[in-house]
Amino acid sequence: MIPGSIFNAISLSLVVFFTFLYYSSGSSPCSPTHQGNARQFWIENDRFCKDGVPFQIIGGDMHYFRIVPEYWKDRLLRAKALGLNTIQTYVPWNIHEPQPEKYSFNGIADLEAYIQLVHELGFLIMLRAGPYICGEWDLGGFPAWLLSIEPALELRSSDSTYLSLVERWWGVLLPKIRPLLYQNGGPIIMIQVENEYGSFGSDKNYLQYLAKLARRHLGDELVLYTTDGAGDATLTNGAIPEEGVYAAVDFDTWSNSSSAFEIQKKYNFPRKSPPLSSEFYTGWLTHWGEKLATTNASSTAAALGNILSKDGSAVLYMAHGGTNFGLFSGANTDSNDESAYKPDLTSYDYDAPIKEYGDVNNPKYKELRRVIRKYAAAPLPSFPSSIATEAYGIVKLNKMFSLFEVLYLFSNPTKTVESENPIPMESAGQIYGFMLYESEYEQKKGNSTVSISKIHDRAQVFISCSEGDKSNPRFVGVIERWNNKDPLSVPYLGCPSNITLFILVENMGRVNYGKYIYDRKGILSTVQVDNLTLHRWKMHPIQFDYISNLSKNGLMKKYPYPIEEKISLRRGFKNHIGNMRYRHREQKSNTPALYKGHFNINSTSMLKDTFISFRGWNKGIAFVNNFNIGRFWPKVGPQCTLYVPAPILEQGENTLVIFELESAKPDHTINFVSAPDFSCNLNMLHEK
């Protein structure tokens, strides 16, 4: 029997020998040179060719905007150890142009720095430039201010106003990208235009326009590609081979990859169809109220091995999912029911091989790595170390004040909008978060009813006597987009004046996929009390940054989320509200309120990733050291914890602020734990 080491050496020698014969005989699928450029990436003979040599893409999606920049390198090295040679990422328009012609390319939005780092670590890049990306990201990556434009834009179409805004945006983005193309010395081998357009529309003029615009900025040598589901209907609408754009396909682990690639060939020119699944699903997304989505590690690895063994290429979606920090998580609806609204979790773990907090000590990572190492062009790096986490324990929070006690601090009076009828959030300049609608009506004897036929997404209704103190209105109930069948009963207050009606509306994330993507937020219909339409409304945008400045100042420079996601609270606040935080009436109510607590980390060696357990709380958003770590909703589940990456923590005192929309946990405590928890109540938003 030949010893294993000698057998492996002989096998490797034979591979090298026959490879030499194959290329020297003139049978190589790739020409030795292409268009006179020694550094080039192209498609030939149904293969990807890099510098004259066939190249098999073994890639993975990893989105820079879902990872704090301090962890970019760590996550990429874990992808390297998995055996990946290519990183694919979306470019979300909305984080780079949060306001018209106000551009952001720093901190977590520093796309160029991310691409350079990917390059330094030896990866290639497939860049998904949009303008639409989907990605379970708010409005599919479109900036929500597009929804404030009148007349309404027709997104993802040849609408001339829409195209002019795309051209302006790409006129900023693509010149930044050009020096980073592979032929120019960078890592970018392919640029995707649009995303899964064949599942949305059939406007080929729109797709052709995008392809021409990309080539105008980036040149004709670049490989452009589209991605669509592996079916005739989607590829008929989404592929544009006539523009020289390569059509890739996506599919899940139980699909027949050979059949998918045969269909793909029909929508590329002859010998221009290397088999590629540009989204090979390693897991799936999860909505609030659903059981956490998972896929089997062994079957996922076997399906990948089937592709790679036949010289196919694949990009794992996701290699590492990360987190929907802030208020950027998206949502879905049923295909023919806009009200069947399904918001995404804050976590974007996706059951990927590299978990939300970077863990790789799991079966999926190990199984995929075992398969990939058979096809990798070089030996894999050693298995990555485990991620250190810390349970900082229980922290007591104090109630600071309710929304209504200091409304003038939550909402700058100069931003209040008055209108005869309610207007959408976007029209009031409120892109994310919350808006408080206020009107009055004349009360009658006995109970009344309030009805709102179209609310996006969730409204808490309060009433108060119009004259006198409005700082503690009475909670009436909740109206939800997905559960809005019956009018809300309003109790009789016996006021000597009119009744003030307050409606706090939460934007829980815009739809990112399907025909209902034009997803304005707020009250989108009339409001009726006892079947009479209310008029004369005030709209108060809730913007946390108007509450002055308590917390650390530097973090927002590093993480440039939109202004609505910042929060800062001045310690004490006695110049504004006296001793209100000590005299407010504690009561179990559904009045939104702010809670604050502090915890100390004694040394830099103790700065580690952690998770905040919100068991016992209801619904809201949380901030650590002025950084919005996302939405919590343990009342519905399944996500019980929010991920806190170590880079947002500091040695010494750290500040946690919670905006709880309903009633707080009775003892006002939270618990910092060392592992994620996705086992909270599963109160389904939609009956099956």
Side-chain angles (χ1 to χ4, degrees):
M1 180 177 292
I2 301 174
S5 59
I6 297 176
F7 179 81
N8 290 339
I10 294 172
S11 299
L12 179 60
S13 298
L14 289 173
V15 170
V16 171
F17 174 71
F18 285 115
T19 301
F20 170 77
L21 288 180
Y22 181 72
Y23 291 139
S24 62
S25 67
S27 301
S28 170
C30 296
S31 303
T33 60
H34 183 72
Q35 299 184 0
N37 188 344
R39 185 178 170 86
Q40 189 64 256
F41 186 90
W42 71 96
I43 294 172
E44 184 179 355
N45 293 325
D46 289 337
R47 298 295 297 269
F48 294 112
C49 299
K50 183 170 77 73
D51 305 333
V53 177
F55 183 76
Q56 185 177 42
I57 294 171
I58 307 176
D61 261 84
M62 188 178 295
H63 304 154
Y64 58 100
F65 48 91
R66 285 181 159 127
I67 312 166
V68 293
E70 292 87 345
Y71 279 170
W72 286 347
K73 185 174 183 179
D74 174 85
R75 303 307 191 253
L76 288 167
L77 288 174
R78 291 170 189 273
K80 194 80 171 176
L82 183 59
L84 305 187
N85 58 29
T86 304
I87 296 296
Q88 184 171 247
T89 184
Y90 288 124
V91 180
W93 184 359
N94 53 13
I95 72 164
H96 294 293
E97 194 181 359
Q99 299 175 45
E101 299 187 84
K102 305 287 186 179
Y103 298 102
S104 175
F105 288 94
N106 53 42
I108 206 167
D110 196 340
L111 172 62
E112 292 162 284
Y114 182 72
I115 293 173
Q116 291 286 11
L117 178 60
V118 170
H119 192 195
E120 291 169 13
L121 296 178
F123 292 99
L124 299 173
I125 281 191
M126 297 166 62
L127 195 70
R128 315 178 84 174
Y132 164 80
I133 65 168
C134 186
E136 291 71 62
W137 195 251
D138 188 82
L139 198 57
F142 285 129
W145 51 261
L146 293 177
L147 305 184
S148 68
I149 296 173
E150 298 290 354
L153 299 179
E154 188 177 347
L155 302 176
R156 306 182 73 187
S157 78
S158 296
D159 178 302
S160 60
T161 304
Y162 165 68
L163 290 183
S164 69
L165 294 169
V166 171
E167 185 161 353
R168 187 180 74 189
W169 158 231
W170 272 14
V172 173
L173 173 66
L174 298 186
K176 293 177 179 291
I177 298 307
R178 182 160 188 153
L180 301 168
L181 299 179
Y182 186 76
Q183 61 266 33
N184 295 333
I188 301 174
I189 54 172
M190 300 168 66
I191 300 277
Q192 181 178 304
V193 294
E194 250 279 348
N195 186 55
E196 297 181 323
Y197 182 76
S199 300
F200 175 81
S202 58
D203 185 349
K204 289 295 184 80
N205 290 332
Y206 166 56
L207 295 178
Q208 291 164 356
Y209 168 86
L210 293 179
K212 289 181 172 67
L213 180 60
R215 294 201 188 282
R216 188 193 317 163
H217 285 286
L218 301 174
D220 293 330
E221 296 181 8
L222 174 69
V223 175
L224 296 178
Y225 70 110
T226 56
T227 292
D228 286 288
D232 285 309
T234 52
L235 285 163
T236 296
N237 290 336
I240 45 171
E242 67 277 7
E243 291 295 329
V245 177
Y246 164 69
V249 292
D250 57 28
F251 49 81
D252 48 48
T253 56
W254 54 84
S255 295
N256 185 317
S257 59
S258 297
S259 297
F261 293 140
E262 284 301 312
I263 295 172
Q264 178 191 11
K265 272 190 174 184
K266 294 161 55 178
Y267 297 91
N268 285 304
F269 285 144
R271 307 182 74 80
K272 294 288 187 179
S273 190
L276 168 65
S277 175
S278 51
E279 287 189 16
F280 176 76
Y281 299 114
T282 59
W284 198 245
L285 62 101
T286 304
H287 304 115
W288 290 106
E290 295 177 349
K291 183 180 178 181
L292 189 69
T294 60
T295 58
N296 180 268
S298 297
S299 60
T300 300
L304 177 64
N306 186 51
I307 294 172
L308 299 182
S309 67
K310 299 174 182 176
D311 292 327
S313 293
V315 180
L316 308 181
Y317 194 97
M318 300 287 298
H320 170 56
T323 309
N324 294 318
F325 292 119
L327 304 176
F328 278 110
S329 53
N332 290 288
T333 64
D334 286 352
S335 59
N336 290 304
D337 185 0
E338 185 180 13
S339 67
Y341 174 77
K342 304 169 187 177
D344 297 325
L345 300 184
T346 296
S347 171
Y348 199 62
D349 181 86
Y350 214 83
D351 196 30
I354 305 172
K355 310 309 287 180
E356 179 182 14
Y357 63 106
D359 171 64
V360 296
N361 191 22
N362 62 76
K364 188 167 288 181
Y365 186 92
K366 294 173 182 177
E367 285 292 305
L368 288 170
R369 189 172 189 266
R370 178 184 59 79
V371 168
I372 292 171
R373 74 186 315 154
K374 298 177 185 178
Y375 305 96
L380 303 191
S382 59
F383 197 89
S385 60
S386 297
I387 295 288
T389 61
E390 184 65 41
Y392 294 110
I394 293 174
V395 174
K396 173 76 172 181
L397 279 69
N398 294 310
K399 182 177 179 181
M400 299 186 70
F401 35 69
S402 76
L403 170 69
F404 294 101
E405 286 174 331
V406 286
L407 178 59
Y408 66 96
L409 295 174
F410 280 95
S411 182
N412 186 335
T414 65
K415 300 292 185 180
T416 295
V417 178
E418 296 189 16
S419 175
E420 185 68 9
N421 295 301
I423 65 173
M425 289 186 180
E426 295 82 4
S427 299
Q430 182 71 347
I431 302 302
Y432 299 96
F434 308 85
M435 191 153 77
L436 182 67
Y437 292 78
E438 178 185 354
S439 186
E440 290 187 4
Y441 65 91
E442 184 178 348
Q443 68 176 335
K444 67 173 187 179
K445 291 284 186 180
N447 290 354
S448 296
T449 60
V450 171
S451 59
I452 310 172
S453 62
K454 193 168 186 179
I455 192 81
H456 286 192
D457 297 305
R458 185 175 185 270
Q460 291 168 264
V461 179
F462 304 84
I463 55 173
S464 173
C465 295
S466 296
E467 294 181 2
D469 183 14
K470 299 181 186 178
S471 66
N472 189 31
R474 181 168 177 175
F475 173 69
V476 174
V478 174
I479 300 174
E480 297 163 323
R481 175 175 180 172
W482 58 91
N483 183 25
N484 186 12
K485 297 178 180 178
D486 301 316
L488 198 62
S489 179
V490 179
Y492 175 68
L493 290 186
C495 298
S497 59
N498 286 345
I499 299 295
T500 296
L501 177 68
F502 293 108
I503 304 172
L504 180 66
V505 182
E506 179 186 5
N507 163 9
M508 294 176 57
R510 293 180 181 84
V511 172
N512 57 261
Y513 180 83
K515 65 183 180 181
Y516 300 118
I517 191 172
Y518 194 91
D519 188 20
R520 283 178 166 175
K521 297 302 185 181
I523 297 176
L524 306 180
S525 66
T526 61
V527 176
Q528 294 192 324
V529 174
D530 298 326
N531 296 318
L532 296 176
T533 299
L534 289 190
H535 297 289
R536 295 185 293 280
W537 287 87
K538 293 180 181 179
M539 275 65 64
H540 307 280
I542 304 302
Q543 297 180 311
F544 297 105
D545 62 315
Y546 284 123
I547 313 175
S548 191
N549 193 7
L550 169 152
S551 206
K552 281 61 175 180
N553 292 321
L555 284 171
M556 294 316 300
K557 297 177 183 177
K558 295 163 65 179
Y559 307 111
Y561 287 117
I563 198 168
E564 291 83 4
E565 299 197 18
K566 304 177 187 177
I567 184 167
S568 48
L569 304 165
R570 184 176 307 162
R571 297 182 193 274
F573 236 129
K574 293 183 179 179
N575 291 337
H576 290 281
I577 56 172
N579 295 316
M580 182 177 291
R581 62 187 178 130
Y582 301 108
R583 65 176 173 81
H584 68 261
R585 287 171 286 180
E586 284 289 349
Q587 58 182 4
K588 185 174 178 62
S589 71
N590 284 55
T591 302
L594 279 169
Y595 300 81
K596 183 184 69 171
H598 301 283
F599 60 101
N600 285 287
I601 300 176
N602 294 328
S603 65
T604 55
S605 64
M606 291 297 291
L607 292 172
K608 298 177 182 177
D609 289 359
T610 189
F611 303 84
I612 301 177
S613 174
F614 287 93
R615 285 184 177 273
W617 294 79
N618 278 286
K619 190 179 196 304
I621 53 178
F623 305 81
V624 175
N625 292 338
N626 210 28
F627 182 77
N628 188 335
I629 60 172
R631 299 178 174 96
F632 62 88
W633 201 6
K635 183 178 179 180
V636 165
Q639 185 173 358
C640 312
T641 54
L642 289 183
Y643 172 51
V644 183
I648 73 173
L649 300 174
E650 297 182 358
Q651 182 182 356
E653 186 179 77
N654 292 264
T655 302
L656 168 66
V657 175
I658 291 175
F659 183 54
E660 167 63 64
L661 288 167
E662 298 183 358
S663 55
K665 186 179 179 183
D667 65 1
H668 291 188
T669 63
I670 59 91
N671 192 11
F672 282 90
V673 296
S674 60
D677 182 1
F678 292 92
S679 63
C680 271
N681 304 324
L682 286 179
N683 294 326
M684 309 299 288
L685 299 189
H686 308 276
E687 293 184 4
K688 300 297 183 184

